[in-house]
């Protein structure tokens, strides 16, 4: 297998000047840094605004006061350590706190703090919970990145899930198809695992995180093909990110190239108001307009994508924003309010559901399902010794 080289020290990135490295040190002291040589090779280093660079190279905006560590209150969804159950038929197993590279917009930056332990090496409590709750028919392995796990570790988890009759779908949340596609295309053991456990009645889905069309390289397409041939179904989700894919032409090209490669465009997300994410955020009205213009440039296959906010109360689909009004619907709901339709005023500067006047009439603050789980939002301060280096 072709080995990629990983870097966790910003000083080892030869393409950055000494001044850039010095300026970025304060950020990498606060927010973890990790990248590999394959992904670095996709960057045009002559362009300081290169979108691939912005995805993984730290930016000074990460130090701005903004948002919360856990903007969607995921801590309230834990039923046992390492397992979230927010929506009736879906459970999440947080199986890793490591990624192939760390996206600077990551909505789970909290996982990389030294004082936060949400990912579990031992997922047996979560597996037991899933086995005892027959309404759960699909399970998402996420983190971090599920495909950063060794294939034997992944096999152990998937074999255990496949022994639970009511689990029909296993989803693997991953950016590895574009961060390190060789990990997929050249790992015959992984592909055999998928061939064995992605069957006609019980599929394995790969939930890819592809943000920009330039990530869809020949190597990435080879990984998609290997996954398809092994019987996996590959879909994609990405937030709309300022300075990266907030251009209808770029976003339309992404929809086209995904469809051409047989990767289903699944979700466009509004970027969550997470600590460190200020530079990536756009007003809701602008996000909606960009998405609609992008969809106008692609086929019906590309138009399948849904624009959504992953809010504390559920996935809120943005149906339209017009004449100062937001037309919304609960596409998923923590409180079983599926399909609830909402019309709310939408100020020009609104960036999240909570910014819409009157939103509070449609949802209630969450109550923890497991009081033993500590909310990162309640942890004091942000001293450097709390952050994973």
């Amino acid at each position: 297998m072709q080995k990629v080289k990983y870097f966790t020290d910003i000083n080892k990135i030869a393409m950055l000047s000494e001044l850039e490295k010095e300026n970025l040190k304060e950020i990498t002291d606060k927010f973890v840094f990790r990248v590999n040589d394959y992904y670095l090779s996709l960057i045009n280093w002559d362009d300081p605004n290169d979108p691939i660079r912005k995805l993984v190279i730290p930016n000074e905006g990460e130090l701005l006061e903004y948002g919360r560590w856990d903007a969607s209150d995921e801590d309230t969804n834990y039923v046992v350590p390492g397992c979230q159950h927010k929506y009736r038929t879906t459970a999440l197993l947080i199986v890793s706190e490591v990624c192939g590279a760390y996206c600077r917009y990551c909505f789970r930056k909290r996982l990389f703090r030294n004082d936060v332990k949400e990912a579990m090496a031992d997922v047996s409590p979560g597996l037991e919970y899933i086995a005892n709750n027959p309404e759960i028919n699909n399970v998402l392995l996420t983190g971090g990145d599920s495909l950063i796990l060794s294939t034997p570790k992944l096999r152990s988890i998937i074999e255990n899930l496949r022994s639970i009759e009511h689990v029909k779908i296993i989803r693997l949340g991953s950016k590895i198809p574009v961060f390190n596609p060789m990990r997929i295309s050249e790992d015959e053991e992984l592909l055999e695992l998928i061939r064995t456990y992605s069957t006609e009645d019980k599929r394995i889905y790969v939930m890819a995180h592809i943000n920009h069309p330039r990530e869809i390289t020949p190597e990435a397409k080879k990984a998609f093909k290997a996954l398809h041939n092994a019987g996996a179904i590959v879909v994609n989700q990405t937030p709309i990110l300022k300075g990266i894919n907030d251009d209808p032409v770029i976003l339309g090209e992404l929809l086209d190239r995904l469809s051409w490669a047989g990767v289903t465009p699944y979700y466009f997300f509004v970027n969550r108001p997470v600590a460190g994410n200020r530079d990536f955020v756009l007003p809701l009205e602008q996000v909606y307009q960009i998405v609609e213009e992008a969809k106008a440039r692609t086929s019906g296959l590309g138009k399948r994508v849904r624009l959504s906010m992953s809010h504390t109360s559920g996935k809120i689909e943005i149906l339209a924003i017009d004449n100062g009004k937001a037309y919304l619907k609960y596409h998923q709901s923590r409180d079983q309010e599926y399909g609830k339709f909402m019309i709310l005023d939408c100020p020009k500067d609104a960036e999240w559901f909570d910014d819409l006047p009157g939103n509070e009439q449609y949802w209630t603050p969450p109550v923890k399902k497991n009081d033993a789980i500590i909310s990162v939002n309640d942890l004091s301060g942000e001293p450097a010794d709390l952050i994973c280096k």
Side-chain angles (χ1 to χ4, degrees):
M1 184 187 300
Q2 179 181 339
K3 292 287 187 182
V4 300
K5 183 178 180 181
Y6 283 93
F7 302 90
T8 56
D9 182 351
I10 197 76
N11 290 313
K12 299 293 177 63
I13 308 302
M15 292 75 82
L16 294 173
S17 70
E18 292 306 312
L19 180 59
E20 286 175 315
K21 294 173 188 176
E22 183 180 340
N23 289 340
L24 295 176
K25 186 178 185 305
E26 184 180 1
I27 303 157
T28 57
D29 280 347
K30 178 174 180 178
F31 294 112
V32 68
F33 171 74
R34 191 170 192 258
V35 73
N36 64 48
D37 55 357
Y38 165 78
Y39 201 75
L40 290 175
S41 74
L42 306 184
I43 296 172
N44 175 6
W45 292 96
D46 293 328
D47 179 6
N49 294 313
D50 181 82
I52 309 301
R53 174 181 175 136
K54 286 186 173 183
L55 281 167
V56 291
I57 300 299
N59 68 84
E60 294 181 13
E62 293 180 56
L63 299 178
L64 296 174
E65 286 292 325
Y66 177 73
R68 298 186 296 150
W69 283 99
D70 184 359
S72 295
D73 299 293
E74 289 192 303
D75 64 289
T76 63
N77 301 320
Y78 280 100
V79 285
V80 295
C83 180
Q84 297 182 25
H85 188 194
K86 181 175 183 178
Y87 305 128
R88 187 177 61 85
T89 62
T90 303
L92 273 66
L93 289 177
I94 310 295
V95 298
S96 171
E97 56 188 23
V98 179
C99 289
Y102 292 122
C103 298
R104 307 319 299 179
Y105 67 84
C106 180
F107 72 87
R108 287 200 183 119
K109 283 182 175 181
R110 67 184 192 276
L111 293 187
F112 314 128
R113 288 176 57 142
N114 282 337
D115 58 342
V116 172
K117 186 63 178 175
E118 294 184 33
M120 293 289 123
D122 177 11
V123 297
S124 54
L127 292 170
E128 182 179 357
Y129 176 86
I130 292 165
N132 290 331
N133 287 270
E135 73 273 19
I136 297 171
N137 60 31
N138 72 104
V139 177
L140 171 61
L141 308 185
T142 185
D145 196 307
S146 64
L147 287 179
I148 208 74
L149 296 179
S150 70
T151 300
K153 176 65 174 176
L154 204 55
R155 175 179 289 276
S156 172
I157 296 172
I158 289 174
E159 284 180 345
N160 276 288
L161 286 171
R162 278 291 177 249
S163 71
I164 302 172
E165 178 57 33
H166 54 265
V167 174
K168 307 300 182 184
I169 290 173
I170 297 172
R171 303 194 236 172
L172 306 176
S174 181
K175 197 173 170 73
I176 290 295
V178 292
F179 265 154
N180 179 9
M182 293 72 68
R183 184 268 180 272
I184 295 170
S185 60
E186 299 179 13
D187 186 347
E188 185 52 40
E189 186 184 355
L190 172 67
L191 297 172
E192 181 57 33
L193 171 63
I194 294 172
R195 271 191 289 272
T196 300
Y197 291 108
S198 188
T199 67
E200 290 83 355
D201 296 317
K202 293 187 173 184
R203 285 290 177 192
I204 290 176
Y205 281 68
V206 174
M207 321 301 286
H209 304 160
I210 305 165
N211 309 122
H212 193 278
R214 271 184 31 212
E215 295 177 300
I216 304 176
T217 62
E219 293 87 352
K221 286 186 279 190
K222 188 175 180 181
F224 301 156
K225 182 178 180 181
L227 290 168
H228 292 149
N229 289 344
I233 296 172
V234 187
V235 305
N236 188 61
Q237 49 197 18
T238 176
I240 308 303
L241 301 160
K242 183 178 180 181
I244 293 174
N245 58 18
D246 58 333
D247 179 334
V249 176
I250 294 297
L251 210 57
E253 181 186 352
L254 177 62
L255 291 172
D256 274 345
R257 295 189 63 186
L258 289 169
S259 298
W260 298 341
V263 177
T264 301
Y266 179 46
Y267 278 125
F268 282 150
F269 284 115
V270 174
N271 198 358
R272 301 188 202 185
V274 172
N277 279 14
R278 175 70 269 177
D279 276 4
F280 298 112
V281 175
L282 294 158
L284 292 177
E285 183 176 14
Q286 188 176 347
V287 172
Y288 171 74
Q289 290 170 346
I290 291 168
V291 167
E292 288 304 303
E293 289 178 36
K295 287 165 64 177
R297 306 176 70 90
T298 191
S299 71
L301 296 173
K303 289 180 173 69
R304 292 176 292 178
V305 71
R306 295 176 184 268
L307 175 59
S308 175
M309 291 179 276
S310 273
H311 186 255
T312 297
S313 58
K315 284 193 175 69
I316 300 172
E317 185 178 358
I318 299 177
L319 302 174
I321 297 179
D322 184 61
N323 198 27
K325 296 287 186 181
Y327 300 85
L328 312 170
K329 182 180 78 169
Y330 272 108
H331 181 63
Q332 283 273 38
S333 171
R334 179 200 64 196
D335 298 324
Q336 312 304 311
E337 297 279 5
Y338 301 101
K340 176 183 276 189
F341 180 65
M342 298 168 279
I343 303 176
L344 289 167
D345 289 337
C346 186
K348 289 286 186 182
D349 60 350
E351 297 170 343
W352 191 240
F353 184 58
D354 296 0
D355 299 333
L356 304 179
N359 74 85
E360 59 279 353
Q361 67 185 294
Y362 291 107
W363 67 288
T364 56
V367 176
K368 280 186 182 180
K369 296 182 177 182
N370 186 332
D371 288 333
I373 303 297
I374 297 173
S375 171
V376 68
N377 291 326
D378 295 334
L379 296 177
S380 60
E382 299 177 348
D385 62 353
L386 293 183
I387 312 301
C388 179
K389 305 297 203 312

